């Protein structure tokens, strides 16, 4: 790449800068990249040098299985709920979320275009993200994909190097995939914790031992971590000992 962007048609039918098997590129930057669609042929790993008029927003893939695989990618700034995906011809509602996901960022998305007959299932995808520090912590960021019905989690766990501009976020295309767009989501585990406390002697004799049983229950749907339950003894009681069925006491 030299200074200046290569611009392709973004509306259907899109124009592509196509990299044939064995080809590569050097020198892409915010000032020199493809403002539009790039397609790649073959079964080698590749970094798509795509972006908008002012920003390079790369997407990289692991090596596809088949040499005949062709994949197209473009970056679109703006919410997937309002910016039309040219390949699908519709917007992708960010309120339609798969299990665990709580939001999809409005900063933008990558159009993901497997050509007919191409096998992209199981590919590892890594993207260069904008600053999303006001959207999510790095630990909760997830790469998400539109499967035709909802946005689903492609990361499965924390796979972001950060949440500032230029950080990377990684996920995997499902084995049976209808993914047509990729975006940045957040996963905030939802728990429903309940605590009960019972006593074995409601009216104890002075000087006798009393056993309090405190039970913390997580009604889900996600696992709870770092949960702390504090139970203070009432006036007139002296602490003797405690045990825990799990965790520490």
């Amino acid at each position: 790449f030299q200074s200046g962007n290569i611009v392709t048609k973004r509306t259907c039918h899109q124009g592509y800068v196509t990299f044939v098997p064995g080809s590569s590129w050097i020198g892409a930057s915010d000032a020199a990249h493809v403002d539009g669609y790039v397609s790649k042929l073959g079964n080698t790993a590749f970094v798509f040098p795509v972006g908008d008029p002012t920003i390079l927003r790369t997407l990289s893939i692991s090596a596809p299985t088949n040499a005949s695989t062709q994949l197209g990618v473009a970056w679109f700034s703006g919410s997937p709920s309002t910016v039309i995906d040219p390949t699908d011809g519709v917007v992708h509602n960010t309120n339609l979320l798969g299990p665990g996901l709580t939001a999809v960022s409005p900063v933008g998305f990558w159009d993901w275009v497997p050509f007919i007959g191409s096998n992209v299932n199981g590919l590892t995808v890594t993207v260069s993200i904008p600053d999303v520090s006001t959207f999510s912590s790095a630990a909760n960021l997830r790469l998400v994909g539109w499967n035709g019905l909802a946005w689903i989690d492609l990361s499965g766990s924390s796979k972001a190097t950060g949440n500032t501009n230029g950080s990377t976020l990684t996920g995997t295309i499902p084995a049976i995939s209808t993914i047509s767009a990729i975006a940045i989501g957040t996963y905030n585990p939802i728990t429903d914790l309940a605590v009960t406390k019972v006593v074995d002697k409601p009216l104890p004799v002075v000087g006798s031992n009393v056993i309090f049983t405190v039970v913390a229950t997580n009604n889900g749907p996600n696992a709870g971590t770092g949960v702390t339950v504090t139970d203070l003894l009432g006036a007139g009681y002296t602490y003797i000992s405690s045990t825990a069925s799990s965790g520490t006491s």
Side-chain angles (χ1 to χ4, degrees), residues 1 8 43-44 54 59 65 69 77 85 93 97-98 103-104 114 128 133 148 165 170-171 191 194 196 205 210 230:
F1 283 89
T8 76
N43 59 350
T44 56
T54 60
L59 180 150
T65 302
T69 295
S77 296
D85 180 335
N93 190 338
L97 302 171
V104 174
S128 172
S133 56
N165 184 52
T170 299
T191 58
T196 60
V205 176
V210 177
T230 301

Side-chain angles (χ1 to χ4, degrees), residues 202-213:
L203 298 172
V205 176
V206 174
S208 63
N209 289 343
V210 177
I211 299 174
F212 294 99
T213 302

Side-chain angles (χ1 to χ4, degrees), residues 3-134:
S3 182
N5 293 337
I6 299 172
V7 181
T8 76
K9 183 182 177 185
R10 287 179 173 268
T11 55
C12 193
H13 296 283
Q14 301 94 313
Y16 286 90
V17 174
T18 298
F19 288 80
V20 298
S23 62
S24 61
W25 56 266
I26 58 172
S29 67
D30 287 343
H33 56 269
V34 177
D35 175 10
Y37 282 84
V38 169
S39 78
K40 181 263 182 187
L41 280 161
N43 59 350
T44 56
F46 188 73
V47 179
F48 292 80
V50 296
D52 61 22
T54 60
I55 297 293
L56 173 66
R57 203 55 76 198
T58 59
L59 180 150
S60 67
I61 59 170
S62 59
T65 302
N66 299 330
S68 60
T69 295
Q70 183 172 7
L71 175 67
V73 169
W75 163 257
F76 286 84
S77 296
S79 173
S81 279
T82 57
V83 177
I84 292 176
D85 180 335
T87 305
D88 292 343
V90 295
V91 297
H92 302 314
N93 190 338
T94 54
N95 292 321
L96 301 176
L97 302 171
L101 296 177
T102 51
V104 174
S105 172
V107 294
F109 66 95
W110 291 264
D111 193 8
W112 176 264
V113 191
F115 283 50
I116 294 174
S118 296
N119 181 12
V120 297
N121 299 341
L123 292 185
T124 299
V125 178
T126 300
V127 299
S128 172
I129 65 175
D131 188 327
V132 289
S133 56
T134 60

Side-chain angles (χ1 to χ4, degrees), residues 164-180:
T164 56
N165 184 52
S167 299
T168 61
L169 179 60
T170 299
T172 302
I173 302 300
I176 300 176
S177 174
T178 56
I179 300 299
S180 62

